[in-house]
Amino acid sequence: MVCALAAAVCFGTATVLQAMAARAAADEDDSASGGGSSGAGGSEAALLLRALRQWRYLAGLALDGLGFLFQIAALRSIPIYAVGAALASSLAVTAVVAARLLRVRLSRTEWAAVAVVCAGLAMLGLAAGTEGERAGSDALKWVMLAAAAAVLALGLLGGRLPGRARALTLGLGAGFGFGVVEVAVRLIDSLEPSELVANPAAYALLLGGGAAFLLLTSALQKGSVTTATAGMVIGETIGPALVGVVWLGDRTREGLGWLAVLGFAVAVVGALALARFGEAPAEGTSTGTTRETEEPEEPEVAEATGETGETGETGEAPGEEPSVRPSPR
């Protein structure tokens, strides 16, 4: 469980860095296009290439790599459901890191959600047994490869959807991709090059992980990142947990199955409550701003003017963003 929590710390911190880099990459593209929406902005691959020029994104990738090593170690010692819930708790890490480094204030409800996640993980730690002893079948390995290909196709189709449907689709796709990685790690029995080349799970790991990063990068830059992050949490926890229990023999300690189920549910619900911390405050937003205001789409009209809003007067300095989170449009 320690390795799973270490992975969550790495992934949670990386999320803040990658979100800031993705937004900076989008700002670069807007500047290059004269403030308008560039045609290249709709390409997930182009977005990734621009983000790779940002040092924050590279630092985030380094943390992701370290977190992946911890994740592999965790998957080799505890059930997938425990690892999945621990990784979902990375959102709690993201919230705490944002509060510390970006000076974003957490409301009492958000601190309570962090505590709920910790409580759920504590219950899971007490109830989780060792990893299942069943070897994955060849059919399951091919299914994981097909699932990874489906994630990539889902990303291509989801990128054409509007608004919240796009964000939810990309988020779910990223979650499914990370879920494929979790299962594929368990399906790789040997690291011998000759056996790796012949193992479909190895290709599922690479394709699923790559597709997940691509979809997540796009979700961080466009649409409602809160919706996308919630979709990612669901996609990377429930499916892999079921695969581990049904096909790989993951179990709990004797008589503590109910505690494991409760802990899993509590941790995931707490993570969903913190889903909006899948993004970081946009570049240029003043620090010390509380995130308790939840109406980013409707800038407040200056009451003193008596205007109806058609004049465009918002009571804020020209060019200043009205809220931390950008409009989902």
Side-chain angles (χ1 to χ4, degrees), residues 148-244:
V151 167
L152 187 59
L154 183 64
L156 296 176
L157 294 175
R160 297 182 173 88
L161 295 175
R164 289 188 178 275
R166 182 184 192 279
L168 180 60
T169 301
L170 290 176
L172 280 172
F176 291 149
F178 290 130
V180 167
V181 170
E182 292 175 21
V183 177
V185 168
R186 286 279 296 273
L187 297 177
I188 297 176
D189 300 320
S190 173
L191 297 180
E192 291 292 332
S194 59
E195 295 191 25
L196 279 177
V197 171
N199 191 342
Y203 300 102
L205 188 153
L206 295 175
L207 182 59
F213 272 116
L214 194 63
L215 269 60
L216 182 58
T217 300
S218 180
L220 288 171
Q221 190 267 331
K222 297 177 180 178
S224 171
V225 183
T226 299
T227 302
T229 307
M232 184 184 69
V233 169
I234 294 172
E236 73 176 346
T237 53
I238 298 177
L242 291 175
V243 171

Side-chain angles (χ1 to χ4, degrees), residues 88-100:
S89 75
S90 65
L91 291 174
V93 176
T94 299
V96 174
V97 171
R100 177 66 177 175

